[in-house]
Amino acid sequence: FSSSIKANRERCESNIETLWKQSGGCHGNIIISLSVRSSFDLYLQARNFPPGSEIIMSAIQIEGMVRIAAEAHGLMVVPVDC
């Protein structure tokens, strides 16, 4: 990134965080990412579940989410329908 693009991105991220905090929707816990898949991957990395742990997921989900849980993190995905 050029310095101007990076500065613009950082400003946008800061604005999003400020707006989210003001809405009361996060209680200070915010993550900004490029996609829900990258957020999910980061979440699973942070939680560091042992391989083989079961994770419950909706049977209807975003493409690639099961693969992230199963292949990248070694988790057993249990589908559930509501």
Side-chain angles (χ1 to χ4, degrees):
F1 289 109
S2 72
S3 60
S4 64
I5 292 173
K6 184 176 180 181
N8 187 43
R9 179 180 176 154
E10 289 172 353
R11 186 174 66 252
C12 288
E13 289 175 355
S14 177
N15 289 342
I16 291 168
E17 289 177 4
T18 299
L19 290 170
W20 191 264
K21 287 178 183 178
Q22 289 172 350
S23 73
C26 67
H27 306 290
N29 298 316
I30 297 172
I31 183 170
I32 297 175
S33 67
L34 298 175
S35 73
V36 68
R37 287 180 290 276
S38 57
S39 295
F40 184 58
D41 184 46
L42 288 170
Y43 172 77
L44 293 177
Q45 287 180 47
R47 291 302 309 247
N48 196 28
F49 294 114
S53 295
E54 291 184 344
I55 184 170
I56 298 171
M57 295 180 71
S58 170
I60 300 173
Q61 40 80 25
I62 296 169
E63 183 179 348
M65 300 291 274
V66 170
R67 184 180 46 77
I68 290 168
E71 294 177 15
H73 297 278
L75 303 175
M76 300 294 299
V77 176
V78 178
V80 64
D81 286 320
C82 297

